[in-house]
Structures are given as structure tokens and as C-alpha cells.
Amino acid sequence: MDRITALKAERAGIVEKGLSLVTKAETEKRRLTDEEMAESDSLKAEVKAVDYEIAALGDFGAARGQAERERVAATATAVSGVLPVKTEENVTKITPFKSFGEQLSAIVVAGQSPHATHKGLLDIQAAALGSSEGVMSDGGFLVQTDFTNTLLEETHETGVLLGLTDNRTIGANANGMKQNAVDETSRVDGSRNGGPQIYWTAEAGSVTASKPKFRQIELNLQKLMGLYYATDEELKDTTGLAANVTRWFSEEFGFKIDDALIRGGGAGMPLGILGHAGTVSISKETNQTAATIVKQNVEKMYSRMFARSVPRASWYINQDCWPALFELSVAVGVGGVPLFIPSNSLANAPFGTLLGRPIRPIEHCETLGTVGDIIFADWNEYITIEKGGLEAASSIHVQFLTDETAFRFILRMDGQPRRNAAITPYKGSATQAPFLTLATRA
């Protein structure tokens, strides 16, 4: 670095000499003489030589610095047996590619001709020092960060439920989250917010001391992984490939996450709301016909939703439920009023709400008549965590014999309902919850 500093000072002196020649000619209102032109050309040549030496020293210095970082990383691995943690502080964001498809094509070229590896791929790999993804010796490369961020943004947009949850981002040095939460299962005195009590008391009166009760919410990152094989022919169409990969994988990641939020078992994946202790299942009506939804079902589900969750809650249904909803009505005298269809006309489009709350048909709901076919939910009462965004890497070796390139995508996340039990109200005995389902009608 001292040599570079000296060269920069030398360059400044040479430039100053050149400027003095021009300034003198301008002051005397004349052109440069032949001798001055020759001196100017000589000074320009000296500047170029100094610039070349500065650039060379900078490149070698960067290479030496990279080698030192790799040496330190290797030493850390040998001592601890694990790679250094990749953090925002030690990862430089490199964006050498203009499009996702352009980078995918560069990956294929690198696999077919290692000597023709695009410099941008090497820059991205170097910036991700400490990551165990995409080992170049195995034909693997990391995908540019902003492209994977785009995929994750698409996942949040195409997933119906994920974007509605209370989503948290986990820091670089954590693999999960533990959060203290109030252990509240009832709203009666002595149980609200886990137990603290307040008393009306006369002057000099005494009260009984109380304190809240807490429980711990624990979320540990789970891994959701996708693998895509692209043919050599498909890789030649970079625009089409980028569009396909972005659309297919963002939709599939969003679909699988939403499915887990509803029916996930909690082992190696998020904990779903179906069958969860904090979800209330409304019993079917006496003698209710199989595979039906009647107005009493809907009314009871609505009445069991937390009052403060009602403004955020929506109905989620399987499309098999539409005919049953169309037939809902409220008796008025000897006739009735449709509960869902606009008054006076079946030809009009139905309202997009049921009892004032939006209806969203989603594939993840069960077929008509099975628990989970209609769900009334406030997804803000569900916590999800994510870490590091969507990681992507590629390898040409996996499907070498079939002339295909493998692209791998990994998302680390987890989730569970905020409450672990239904709540007994202050007055009344019917429990309430932010997630309501309707029991099977068989």
C-alpha cells in the first residue's frame, strides 16, 4: 500500500507538470510549441505507465488479500471443523449479471469449458466466502443475490398465506428464535395476560399480589429445497429460462409453504393450524347432511373468532364449497333472504364477502365435507421466521449423461401459531381462537 501511495503522489506531480505547460500557453495566448508538445506526450506516457503499475499492484493486492482470507478460513475449518459463518458484514454484494437467464447461461458455459468461466461467477463465489453452497470444484456456482431475492419476493407474492403472517427475519448468527409469550388460556379474572390482577379497593385497603405467567415460543429453521433440471436447449433461451424458473419455483415455494401453514406436522416443517390446540373446531349441526355447509356453521364460526381478530380475519375455502355457500339463506317469515347471493338476482356476481369478511378460495383447503374445507382465520396470529433469503446454486455434474444442468434452491424458515390453546372468554363458556375450522360432516 505504501508503494501505491507513492505512485499516486508521483502521478499527481506529472499531471501538474502537464497542466503548467497548458496554462503557460493559454496565458501567453498561443499554441504549444513543438518542444512543449513533445514534452506533453512524454508526460502522458509517464502517467499511463504509473497508472498501469498502480492497477497491477491493486490486482495483486486483492489477490493476496483473497488468498489470506482463504487461508484464514481454511485454518478456522481445520481447527473447529466448521466453516466461518456467512454474515452481512463479510459478504460483498456482487452483481455482474444483468439478468437471471444471463447468469444461468454463464454457469453452463463454465461447466462445459472451465477455462471460459465468466469472471462474474468467480466474483460472486469469492464474495460468499464461508458459505458451503456451490463448490466450484464440483461444478457448482452460487446465483447472484439480487436474483434470488427476486425469487423470494415472488414467493411472498404468489403464496396466499405466507405474506399475511407475522414474519420475522433471523440474524446471521442464529438458527432459530425463542420468544417469551404470555401464557393466556382464559380471560377470566386471574388469567388475563397470564395472571396479573387489579383491584378496586377502599382507602387503606389491601390487595393480593399477582404476577404474569409466561411460556416460550421456540422456532427452529427448517429447510425447504427445490431442484430443477434444465436441458441444454432450454439454456440457450436465457430470457425464457429466467422467466420459467422464476415463475415455477416462486409459485411452488409459495404453495408448499402455504400448505405447511395449514397442515404441517411441525417435524422438519412448520406447524400447521389444522388439529392444533390453539384452533377451535366447530361441531356440525345435529342431523346435518353430509358434505354440506349450513348457515349455523358459518354463524358459529364467526361468533368464536377473537373480537380483535375479526377486522383482520378472512374465510378460506375449497372451491367445492361455492355451491353450498350460494345456497345459504336466512329465514324471514315464510320466505328467506340469501346470505351470500345479492338480493333479487342469481344472475348478479356474488358478494366477495361472507358476514362482511373476505372469501379467498385456495387449493390447500380440504374438499367439501372434510374438516379444513372452510377456515376462518387471522394469519397475523401465526409467526414465521426466515434466514438469509432464498439460496440458489447450480451444478452441471448431477445430470451430465442427460445433457442437463441442475439448479438447486433452498429456503430456511419455520412457523407456528402464536397461541398454543383456545381462550375461555371473560363471560361465557364457548372458547375462542384466531383460527376456526368446521368439523367433518360425513
Side-chain angles (χ1 to χ4, degrees), residues 1 4 7 51-65:
M1 294 301 297
I4 292 178
L7 286 170
D51 284 343
Y52 181 83
E53 188 173 352
I54 291 174
L57 287 174
D59 289 342
F60 289 136
R64 181 171 59 188

Side-chain angles (χ1 to χ4, degrees), residues 37-352:
M37 288 291 292
E39 185 178 357
S40 176
D41 290 341
S42 177
L43 292 173
K44 290 178 182 178
E46 289 184 43
V47 169
K48 287 184 178 180
V50 173
D51 284 343
Y52 181 83
E53 188 173 352
I54 291 174
L57 287 174
D59 289 342
F60 289 136
R64 181 171 59 188
Q66 177 64 24
E68 177 62 18
R69 288 192 294 273
E70 291 177 355
R71 184 190 67 77
V72 172
T75 301
T77 301
V79 173
S80 65
V82 296
L83 288 170
V85 175
K86 174 184 172 183
T87 67
E88 291 296 327
E89 289 73 19
N90 63 23
V91 175
T92 303
K93 288 181 170 58
I94 305 297
T95 57
F97 298 99
K98 296 179 180 179
S99 71
F100 190 25
E102 181 183 340
Q103 184 180 0
L104 298 183
S105 293
I107 289 172
V108 176
V109 171
Q112 295 171 342
S113 304
H115 64 278
T117 299
H118 192 290
K119 183 177 180 297
L121 294 175
L122 303 179
D123 290 342
I124 293 172
Q125 211 75 18
L129 179 65
S131 171
S132 60
E133 314 294 341
V135 182
M136 287 183 286
S137 61
D138 293 335
F141 294 93
L142 293 174
V143 174
Q144 188 170 309
T145 303
D146 54 349
F147 299 148
T148 57
N149 286 343
T150 299
L151 276 172
L152 184 57
E153 290 170 2
E154 292 283 343
T155 296
H156 279 269
E157 291 177 2
T158 56
V160 176
L161 307 179
L162 177 59
L164 302 175
T165 64
D166 181 4
N167 188 258
R168 319 282 183 88
T169 299
I170 299 301
N173 296 318
N175 286 314
M177 180 191 79
K178 290 184 179 180
Q179 176 182 345
N180 288 328
V182 173
D183 190 3
E184 182 184 61
T185 59
S186 174
R187 297 290 295 170
V188 301
D189 287 344
S191 297
R192 286 188 298 276
N193 294 312
Q197 296 190 65
I198 296 176
Y199 302 86
W200 294 104
T201 180
E203 184 176 353
S206 62
V207 299
T208 302
S210 61
K211 62 180 180 179
K213 179 183 177 183
F214 294 96
R215 67 182 183 88
Q216 196 167 69
I217 297 175
E218 183 173 357
L219 294 170
N220 297 302
L221 291 171
Q222 311 297 338
K223 183 164 66 175
L224 183 62
M225 184 169 69
L227 195 62
Y228 173 66
Y229 295 118
T231 64
D232 184 55
E233 292 77 13
E234 187 177 15
L235 287 165
K236 292 177 181 177
D237 180 10
T238 58
T239 302
L241 177 60
N244 287 342
V245 171
T246 300
R247 178 170 61 87
W248 294 338
F249 274 86
S250 61
E251 288 185 2
E252 187 61 18
F253 268 94
F255 185 96
K256 294 295 288 185
I257 292 172
D258 281 357
D259 193 56
L261 299 189
I262 288 181
R263 58 178 51 79
M269 64 192 307
L271 180 61
I273 64 168
L274 285 184
H276 182 255
T279 298
V280 169
S281 180
I282 304 299
S283 300
K284 67 176 183 178
E285 294 299 298
T286 303
N287 300 322
Q288 182 173 345
T289 305
T292 60
I293 298 175
V294 296
K295 80 176 188 68
Q296 290 88 348
N297 300 149
V298 174
E299 291 167 347
K300 288 180 179 179
M301 291 178 72
Y302 189 96
S303 70
R304 302 281 289 276
M305 173 63 68
F306 282 145
R308 61 173 174 265
S309 285
V310 170
R312 295 190 300 257
S314 294
W315 300 93
Y316 300 89
I317 65 167
N318 185 298
Q319 288 191 222
D320 292 346
C321 297
W322 280 125
L325 296 184
F326 294 155
E327 295 176 3
L328 295 178
S329 63
V330 178
V332 179
V334 296
V337 177
L339 191 65
F340 182 67
I341 298 295
S343 298
N344 305 321
S345 178
L346 285 173
N348 291 333
F351 293 123

Side-chain angles (χ1 to χ4, degrees), residues 368-437:
L368 179 62
T370 306
V371 60
D373 58 346
I374 179 170
I375 299 172
F376 194 34
D378 171 17
W379 284 101
N380 190 61
E381 290 294 314
Y382 190 102
I383 301 175
T384 55
I385 61 171
E386 294 177 4
K387 178 181 179 180
L390 191 67
E391 297 178 5
S394 171
S395 173
I396 64 160
H397 292 168
V398 180
Q399 293 291 94
F400 177 77
L401 296 179
T402 56
D403 195 25
E404 294 177 313
T405 298
F407 295 96
R408 186 197 65 195
F409 302 89
I410 295 176
L411 177 64
R412 300 180 68 198
M413 61 89 62
D414 195 14
Q416 66 176 254
R418 189 190 309 275
R419 295 180 179 272
N420 65 347
I423 304 298
T424 300
Y426 176 49
K427 298 297 182 181
S429 58
T431 55
Q432 300 173 357
F435 301 101
L436 286 300
T437 59

